[in-house]
Amino acid sequence: MGKEKIILGIDPGTTIMGFGLIKVVGKTMSFLQLNELDLKKYDDHYLKLKLIFERTIELIDTHHPDEIAIEAPFYGKNVQSMLKLGRAQGVAMAAGLSREIPITEYLPKKIKMAITGNGNASKEQVAKMLQSLLGLKSLPKNLDATDGLAAAVCHFYNSGKVEIGKSYSGWDAFVKQNSALTSEGGKKGVTVVNARKNKS
C-alpha cells in the first residue's frame, strides 16, 4: 500500500472561492470534500481577501493537505477583474506558503484537459466528469467548488511528471522564482516584487 497524501485544490475568486480535497493512496484517489466560500455579500474587497486567507488557513489546519493545487488566473479582457482574481489567488497561495505547503499552479485549460481531455470543456462537462471519476452523488449548484476539486484531480494526474506547471515548496522558493523580471512577459512570466526586507 502506497503512502497516503491529501491534495487541496483551490479555484480562487473574490465572488466565490471553490475548493475540493482528495486523498491519494498509491495510484488511487478518493473524494474527501467539496465546498465553496461565498463572498458575494461583502462589498469590501480587502475584507474578501482577509476571508480567503483565513478560510484557506482553516482548511489547511483541519485537513493537513500535503500539497495544494491552485487554478491560475486566465487572461481576460477586463484588467480590473484580472487584478482582483490575481489578488485572490495570491492570498490563497500566501496562506499555503505560510504553512510551508508545496503549491502548484495550473492554467484553466490544463485543468480541463486533464479532467476531460478537452482544454475548452465547459464547467458542466468538468463537473460531470468529476462526478463520474469520484462517484459523487450530486453536484453543487455553483460549479466553482467542482473547479477547485478539478485542480486537485489535475495535480494528481500530473504528479510524477517532470513538467507540472509552476511549483513552490515554500515562501523562499516562491520569492526566488518570482522576484526576477522575465523576458518572456505576458502569459508565462509572473513578476512579484520581494517586499521582505532583511531586518538586522
Side-chain angles (χ1 to χ4, degrees), residues 145-161:
T146 46
D147 282 352
L149 185 63
V153 174
C154 171
H155 186 64
F156 164 68
Y157 284 149
N158 281 278
S159 56
K161 292 184 182 176

Side-chain angles (χ1 to χ4, degrees), residues 32-175:
L32 285 180
Q33 194 190 348
L34 173 72
N35 213 329
E36 62 191 34
L37 172 63
D38 192 340
L39 299 159
K40 288 195 285 284
K41 62 186 173 199
Y42 304 103
D43 294 325
D44 186 337
H45 179 65
Y46 300 104
L47 175 60
K48 290 181 179 191
L49 295 177
K50 178 176 180 279
L51 293 169
I52 291 167
F53 183 87
E54 289 174 349
R55 184 68 176 113
T56 307
I57 288 286
E58 187 187 331
L59 284 166
I60 291 166
D61 291 349
T62 304
H63 300 283
H64 309 290
D66 300 281
E67 293 164 10
I68 294 174
I70 195 160
E71 185 172 311
F74 58 89
Y75 295 80
K77 289 178 184 172
N78 188 328
V79 177
Q80 201 59 37
S81 297
M82 179 70 193
L83 178 65
K84 286 181 177 177
L85 203 56
R87 284 176 176 171
Q89 186 209 26
V91 166
M93 288 173 75
L97 292 166
S98 74
R99 291 289 193 264
E100 298 293 321
I101 299 169
I103 295 171
T104 306
E105 289 178 79
Y106 293 97
L107 290 170
K109 271 185 180 289
K110 178 137 187 170
I111 294 173
K112 290 173 180 178
M113 178 65 82
I115 306 300
T116 68
N118 174 9
N120 297 311
S122 67
K123 276 179 177 275
E124 290 75 18
Q125 287 171 317
V126 171
K128 286 284 184 195
M129 185 58 84
L130 287 171
Q131 187 173 21
S132 171
L133 285 168
L134 295 165
L136 306 178
K137 290 187 176 74
S138 60
L139 290 171
K141 192 172 76 168
N142 293 317
L143 297 181
D144 299 88
T146 46
D147 282 352
L149 185 63
V153 174
C154 171
H155 186 64
F156 164 68
Y157 284 149
N158 281 278
S159 56
K161 292 184 182 176
V162 179
E163 182 57 51
I164 57 168
K166 281 192 169 238
S167 296
Y168 311 108
S169 55
W171 184 252
D172 290 335
F174 174 79
V175 171

Side-chain angles (χ1 to χ4, degrees), residues 171 174-175 178-179 192-199:
W171 184 252
F174 174 79
V175 171
N178 288 289
S179 58
V192 174
V193 178
N194 182 1
R196 295 202 315 175
K197 298 271 188 265
N198 288 329
K199 293 177 182 169

Side-chain angles (χ1 to χ4, degrees), residues 172-187:
D172 290 335
F174 174 79
V175 171
K176 199 172 179 182
Q177 287 183 44
N178 288 289
S179 58
L181 287 169
T182 61
S183 56
E184 294 168 51
K187 302 205 173 187

